[in-house]
Coordinates of all heavy atoms in Angstrom, one line a residue:
H185 N 75.5 -9.9 76.9 CA 75.9 -11.3 76.4 C 77.2 -11.7 77.1 O 77.3 -11.7 78.3 CB 75.9 -11.3 74.9 CG 75.6 -12.6 74.3 ND1 74.6 -13.4 74.7 CD2 76.4 -13.4 73.5 CE1 74.6 -14.5 74.0 NE2 75.7 -14.6 73.3
A186 N 78.2 -12.0 76.2 CA 79.5 -12.4 76.8 C 80.6 -11.3 76.6 O 81.8 -11.5 76.8 CB 80.0 -13.7 76.2
D200 N 85.1 -10.9 73.4 CA 83.9 -11.4 72.7 C 83.0 -10.2 72.3 O 81.8 -10.1 72.7 CB 83.1 -12.4 73.5 CG 83.8 -13.8 73.5 OD1 84.9 -13.9 72.9 OD2 83.3 -14.7 74.3
F202 N 80.6 -8.9 70.6 CA 79.3 -9.0 69.9 C 78.5 -7.8 70.2 O 77.8 -7.7 71.2 CB 78.6 -10.3 70.3 CG 77.2 -10.5 69.8 CD1 76.9 -10.3 68.5 CD2 76.2 -10.9 70.7 CE1 75.5 -10.5 68.1 CE2 74.9 -11.1 70.3 CZ 74.6 -10.9 69.0
T226 N 86.8 -16.1 72.9 CA 86.7 -17.4 73.5 C 86.4 -18.5 72.4 O 86.9 -19.6 72.6 CB 85.6 -17.5 74.6 OG1 84.3 -17.2 73.9 CG2 85.8 -16.5 75.7
H227 N 85.7 -18.2 71.4 CA 85.4 -19.1 70.3 C 84.8 -18.4 69.1 O 84.7 -17.2 69.2 CB 84.5 -20.3 70.8 CG 83.2 -19.9 71.3 ND1 82.9 -19.2 72.4 CD2 81.9 -20.2 70.7 CE1 81.6 -19.1 72.5 NE2 81.0 -19.7 71.5
H229 N 81.9 -18.6 67.4 CA 80.5 -18.4 67.1 C 80.2 -16.9 66.9 O 80.9 -16.0 67.6 CB 79.6 -18.9 68.2 CG 79.5 -20.4 68.2 ND1 79.2 -21.2 69.3 CD2 79.7 -21.3 67.2 CE1 79.2 -22.5 69.0 NE2 79.5 -22.6 67.7
E230 N 79.2 -16.6 66.1 CA 79.0 -15.2 65.7 C 78.6 -14.3 66.9 O 78.9 -13.1 66.8 CB 77.8 -15.1 64.7 CG 78.1 -15.9 63.4 CD 79.1 -15.3 62.4 OE1 79.7 -14.3 62.8 OE2 79.3 -15.9 61.3
D231 N 78.0 -14.9 67.9 CA 77.7 -14.1 69.1 C 78.9 -13.8 70.0 O 78.7 -13.2 71.1 CB 76.5 -14.7 69.9 CG 76.8 -16.1 70.4 OD1 77.4 -16.9 69.7 OD2 76.4 -16.4 71.6
H232 N 80.1 -14.2 69.5 CA 81.3 -13.9 70.3 C 82.3 -13.2 69.4 O 82.9 -12.2 69.7 CB 81.9 -15.2 70.9 CG 80.9 -15.8 71.8 ND1 81.1 -15.7 73.2 CD2 79.7 -16.5 71.6 CE1 80.0 -16.3 73.8 NE2 79.2 -16.8 72.8
H288 N 82.2 -27.0 74.4 CA 81.3 -26.3 73.6 C 81.7 -26.7 72.2 O 82.4 -27.7 71.9 CB 81.5 -24.8 73.8 CG 80.4 -23.9 73.3 ND1 79.1 -24.0 73.8 CD2 80.4 -22.9 72.4 CE1 78.4 -23.0 73.2 NE2 79.1 -22.4 72.3
G320 N 83.8 -18.3 78.9 CA 83.4 -18.6 77.6 C 82.0 -19.3 77.6 O 81.2 -19.0 78.5
D321 N 81.7 -20.0 76.6 CA 80.5 -20.8 76.6 C 80.9 -22.2 77.0 O 81.7 -22.9 76.3 CB 79.9 -20.9 75.2 CG 79.1 -19.6 74.8 OD1 79.1 -18.7 75.5 OD2 78.5 -19.6 73.7
T322 N 80.3 -22.7 78.0 CA 80.7 -24.1 78.5 C 79.6 -24.7 79.4 O 78.8 -24.0 80.0 CB 82.0 -24.0 79.2 OG1 82.5 -25.3 79.5 CG2 82.0 -23.2 80.5
P343 N 78.7 -18.1 82.4 CA 77.4 -18.1 81.7 C 76.4 -18.9 82.4 O 76.6 -20.0 83.0 CB 77.8 -18.9 80.4 CG 79.0 -19.7 80.8 CD 79.7 -18.9 81.8
F348 N 72.6 -23.3 75.6 CA 73.9 -23.4 74.9 C 75.1 -23.5 75.9 O 76.2 -23.8 75.5 CB 74.2 -22.2 74.0 CG 73.1 -22.0 72.9 CD1 72.3 -20.9 72.9 CD2 73.0 -23.0 71.9 CE1 71.4 -20.7 71.9 CE2 72.0 -22.8 70.9 CZ 71.2 -21.7 70.9
T349 N 74.8 -23.2 77.1 CA 75.8 -23.2 78.2 C 75.2 -23.7 79.5 O 74.1 -24.2 79.5 CB 76.3 -21.8 78.5 OG1 75.2 -21.0 79.1 CG2 76.7 -21.0 77.2
H372 N 75.8 -14.2 79.5 CA 75.2 -15.1 78.5 C 73.8 -15.4 78.9 O 73.3 -16.5 78.7 CB 76.0 -16.3 78.3 CG 76.0 -16.9 76.8 ND1 75.0 -17.7 76.4 CD2 76.9 -16.7 75.8 CE1 75.3 -18.0 75.1 NE2 76.4 -17.4 74.7
F376 N 68.6 -13.1 74.2 CA 67.5 -13.6 73.3 C 66.6 -14.4 74.2 O 66.9 -15.0 75.2 CB 68.1 -14.5 72.2 CG 69.3 -13.9 71.5 CD1 70.6 -14.4 71.7 CD2 69.1 -12.8 70.7 CE1 71.6 -13.8 71.0 CE2 70.2 -12.2 70.0 CZ 71.4 -12.7 70.2
L379 N 67.6 -17.9 75.6 CA 68.4 -18.0 76.8 C 67.5 -17.8 78.0 O 67.3 -16.7 78.5 CB 69.5 -17.0 76.8 CG 70.5 -17.1 75.6 CD1 71.6 -16.0 75.7 CD2 71.1 -18.5 75.4
Ligands
MN552 MN1 77.4 -18.0 72.8

Side-chain angles (χ1 to χ4, degrees):
H185 206 55
D200 288 355
F202 170 47
T226 61
H227 63 293
H229 287 154
E230 301 285 5
D231 59 320
H232 299 257
H288 195 64
D321 283 4
T322 189
F348 301 115
T349 69
H372 213 275
F376 311 110
L379 304 179

